[in-house]
Amino acid sequence: MILMFVYNILGWLKDSFDLTLSKLKEILTRIAVFITVFMILLWFSAFLYGSFYFAYMPPVSLTKPVNLQFKLCEDGIGMCSYPADNITLVQEGQTEVFARGESYTIKMETVLPESPINKELGMFMVKLQLFDKSGGTVSSSSRSIMLHYRSELLRIMDTFVFSPLLLSGFVEQKQFLTVEFYNNYIDDSYNPAVGAYIEVQNKKIQIYTATLKIYAHFTGLRYMLFHWPLLSATVGTTLNMCLLSFIALLSWYQIYYSRYNGNSNSVEYEPETKSKDRSAMEERRKNIREMLARERKATEAQMLGKSHSYPEQQYSTLETMVSREVSEDTEESLISGKNTEGSESDSTFLRHRHPVTSS
């Protein structure tokens, strides 16, 4: 008894452990599938937002160096033409420079030495022309510019204070001038500009360097994407995530609903199958009872010299066993279509359990 009790306890513990382990495996599998699907959707949402951002957002700024060129005089000294440069604004792989409907600021930054010639120039003109692919002028702008005035006393004090830096070469006597051609330039969508022509209308000017800079003034959605990139990325990725999750849930529901409909259609025929199985079970029981009755009569005819109590007790025990066996039959064995084989096996079982003895 004790060994049997211990055996039952160990079996119960093993079954409980197997059940818990199976549930744990199922939970871990679901968590792993959820995390995998979530990461795939998150990565795809971020990829969609990044693709939209780089396709929708134009370049924020464009910087081009201005290499001024001029024609020398016949004696080879001085300039006999205005210094000018022809600049291509379109970068490699692009067809347009300016985004449609957006405003831009176009300006040129120059570095001029504080030489006596530049101080005597006074005001001079700088001209900008934007041209299209065919070379036609799209827009033109001219601005005047001059060096900032500084008195002789101020220049002497400045030279004295910054003399160590001037002697070491860290500081130079120069001025930075900015020429703003456009403050709110909007390009023509049907005839976009692809290049610029800059001309400094003075033959005696001395210039260290010049740079053309273009800045975009975004409005609407582009303004939000440029000035609040983290917020825009979070909102855009979240919206993409919600849309993709809705599509995934809709697909899963469609698959699950189709499977559920298939199972429900199969269940509709279940009552009819059950009624057929019950009738087959009743017929099987009837055959078993008839077989028992025939065997009882045959046994009584062969065992006339023995007492009647032992056969009847044996018959009652046999009937109890048979009825118990029949009641333990499940519907699965009946649905499988093995009713005939079951009746034959039962009859064989009864004949082995209760053989006919000869007198």
Side-chain angles (χ1 to χ4, degrees):
M1 294 295 293
I2 297 176
L3 294 177
M4 198 67 179
F5 178 75
V6 173
Y7 179 76
N8 293 333
I9 292 296
L10 292 177
W12 177 79
L13 291 176
K14 182 179 179 301
D15 295 339
S16 301
F17 178 75
D18 294 340
L19 181 61
T20 305
L21 185 61
S22 62
K23 290 184 178 179
L24 183 61
K25 287 182 179 179
E26 184 179 359
I27 292 173
L28 292 177
T29 303
R30 290 182 179 180
I31 293 175
V33 171
F34 175 78
I35 293 175
T36 304
V37 173
F38 178 80
M39 293 301 296
I40 292 174
L41 292 178
L42 181 61
W43 180 86
F44 197 62
S45 301
F47 175 76
L48 288 178
Y49 175 78
S51 301
F52 168 76
Y53 182 87
F54 287 105
Y56 183 71
M57 288 292 293
V60 179
S61 62
L62 180 64
T63 302
K64 290 287 185 178
V66 180
N67 300 315
L68 296 173
Q69 300 177 3
F70 54 88
K71 184 179 180 181
L72 291 174
C73 298
E74 294 181 356
D75 56 358
I77 301 175
M79 293 184 293
C80 288
S81 65
Y82 295 143
D85 187 22
N86 194 348
I87 305 171
T88 301
L89 301 178
V90 179
Q91 298 180 358
E92 185 178 357
Q94 293 183 348
T95 57
E96 296 182 358
V97 180
F98 305 98
R100 298 181 181 181
E102 298 294 338
S103 61
Y104 290 84
T105 296
I106 304 176
K107 61 182 180 180
M108 185 180 70
E109 295 180 354
T110 58
V111 181
L112 287 76
E114 290 184 341
S115 62
I117 296 177
N118 284 341
K119 287 189 294 183
E120 295 176 358
L121 288 178
M123 297 182 64
F124 57 92
M125 298 295 293
V126 180
K127 184 179 180 181
L128 171 69
Q129 289 181 346
L130 299 175
F131 56 87
D132 55 10
K133 294 180 180 180
S134 61
T137 302
V138 177
S139 179
S140 178
S141 176
S142 298
R143 294 291 184 269
S144 62
I145 188 175
M146 68 174 295
L147 269 70
H148 297 288
Y149 174 76
R150 299 176 67 185
S151 63
E152 292 295 334
L153 180 60
L154 181 59
R155 281 197 292 269
I156 293 172
M157 293 177 62
D158 182 75
T159 304
F160 178 75
V161 172
F162 292 99
S163 58
L165 298 176
L166 291 171
L167 293 174
S168 61
F170 288 101
V171 177
E172 296 180 359
Q173 290 181 332
K174 59 186 178 182
Q175 291 189 15
F176 296 89
L177 300 180
T178 301
V179 184
E180 185 174 337
F181 297 105
Y182 295 98
N183 186 25
N184 190 20
Y185 175 76
I186 300 176
D187 195 22
D188 187 4
S189 302
Y190 299 98
N191 192 21
V194 296
Y197 176 79
I198 297 178
E199 183 181 68
V200 181
Q201 297 178 352
N202 193 297
K203 297 180 180 180
K204 296 182 179 180
I205 190 170
Q206 297 174 347
I207 299 177
Y208 281 151
T209 58
T211 306
L212 181 66
K213 294 186 177 182
I214 301 174
Y215 297 96
H217 297 286
F218 295 130
T219 57
L221 182 59
R222 287 192 176 101
Y223 181 84
M224 183 176 179
L225 292 175
F226 177 71
H227 291 280
W228 290 284
L230 294 178
L231 179 62
S232 302
T234 303
V235 174
T237 305
T238 304
L239 292 177
N240 291 333
M241 188 74 176
C242 293
L243 180 61
L244 294 176
S245 300
F246 175 75
I247 295 174
L249 289 175
L250 190 63
S251 302
W252 176 82
Y253 176 77
Q254 184 68 22
I255 296 173
Y256 177 79
Y257 185 72
S258 61
R259 290 183 178 178
Y260 178 77
N261 282 342
N263 293 334
S264 62
N265 293 332
S266 63
V267 170
E268 289 179 357
Y269 298 96
E270 191 174 5
E272 184 178 356
T273 306
K274 287 183 177 181
S275 61
K276 293 181 180 179
D277 295 338
R278 291 193 186 95
S279 61
M281 183 183 291
E282 294 294 336
E283 185 176 358
R284 181 180 176 184
R285 290 178 179 176
K286 183 178 179 181
N287 294 332
I288 291 173
R289 293 179 187 278
E290 292 178 355
M291 182 181 60
L292 286 173
R294 287 195 300 270
E295 289 186 357
R296 178 182 294 179
K297 291 180 181 180
T299 305
E300 289 178 354
Q302 294 178 2
M303 300 178 65
L304 294 176
K306 296 183 180 181
S307 61
H308 298 279
S309 60
Y310 175 75
E312 289 183 357
Q313 183 179 1
Q314 187 176 7
Y315 295 148
S316 62
T317 304
L318 185 60
E319 288 178 358
T320 304
M321 293 173 62
V322 172
S323 61
R324 183 179 301 174
E325 181 184 359
V326 173
S327 63
E328 290 178 354
D329 290 340
T330 58
E331 295 182 359
E332 295 179 357
S333 62
L334 296 175
I335 295 174
S336 60
K338 296 182 179 181
N339 297 329
T340 307
E341 295 179 3
S343 60
E344 293 177 359
S345 62
D346 289 338
S347 60
T348 306
F349 171 75
L350 291 174
R351 290 174 183 174
H352 282 290
R353 291 296 301 271
H354 188 63
V356 179
T357 58
S358 61
S359 56

